[in-house]
Amino acid sequence: MSDALNEAAELYLLLGRVTRALRKTGDAGSLSSGVASALATLTRSGPMRLGDLAAAERVTAPTMSRIVTALEKAEYLVRTADPDDGRAQLLSATDAGRQLVTGLTSSRIQLFATALERLDAAQRNSLATGLAAIEQALT
């Protein structure tokens, strides 16, 4: 295996460990990470159509339909008529959904902030720059 591929594999595994460590923080209840992510997007972005939410989450419409159904059954999401198109529906987080996201986000962000405090300014800047570049390259 080439050095570049070895480095990529190690960084990929590290990123997975960091993500898992952050996901263990907070009370996600019975929500999977994909469902929690969709709810967080609705909470932050406001009402949107299913297709727009699927695009924001980078999943297919059928996958998002299953996620929306799960959120609706848990009463974390409601559907309302789109005022611009009566045939379409807008998805919105309920108060319970927003409270869940706020609780998840705040504890995860607090844990992440505490870890970042252990880095010096140059390390934090390198991390932010590198992660932004990786996100850009992947999208």
Side-chain angles (χ1 to χ4, degrees):
M1 195 181 311
S2 73
D3 288 344
L5 195 52
N6 278 332
E7 183 180 22
E10 287 193 31
L11 289 172
Y12 180 81
L13 293 172
L14 261 170
L15 186 57
R17 288 183 196 116
V18 168
T19 301
R20 278 192 305 279
L22 289 171
R23 283 185 183 150
K24 288 180 182 177
T25 304
D27 179 20
S30 60
L31 298 185
S32 70
S33 60
V35 174
S37 179
L39 182 58
T41 296
L42 279 177
T43 297
R44 290 185 185 102
S45 300
M48 60 178 54
R49 292 181 179 190
L50 188 137
D52 296 331
L53 182 57
E57 291 294 306
R58 295 181 177 95
V59 299
T60 64
T63 296
M64 185 52 65
S65 183
R66 287 188 295 275
I67 289 171
V68 164
T69 298
L71 287 168
E72 195 171 31
K73 283 182 181 177
E75 299 183 358
Y76 293 137
L77 171 148
V78 293
R79 300 175 197 240
T80 58
D82 185 337
D84 297 329
D85 181 354
R87 299 167 296 168
Q89 294 180 327
L90 291 177
L91 309 172
S92 303
T94 63
D95 287 339
R98 284 187 291 278
Q99 288 173 0
L100 179 63
V101 167
T102 301
L104 283 173
T105 301
S106 63
S107 61
R108 287 178 180 167
I109 288 175
Q110 184 59 48
L111 177 65
F112 195 65
T114 300
L116 286 175
E117 288 173 1
R118 296 179 185 142
L119 305 178
D120 63 36
Q123 288 172 316
R124 287 191 303 273
N125 187 46
S126 292
L127 178 63
T129 301
L131 287 175
I134 289 293
E135 181 188 27
Q136 185 72 28
L138 291 172
T139 58

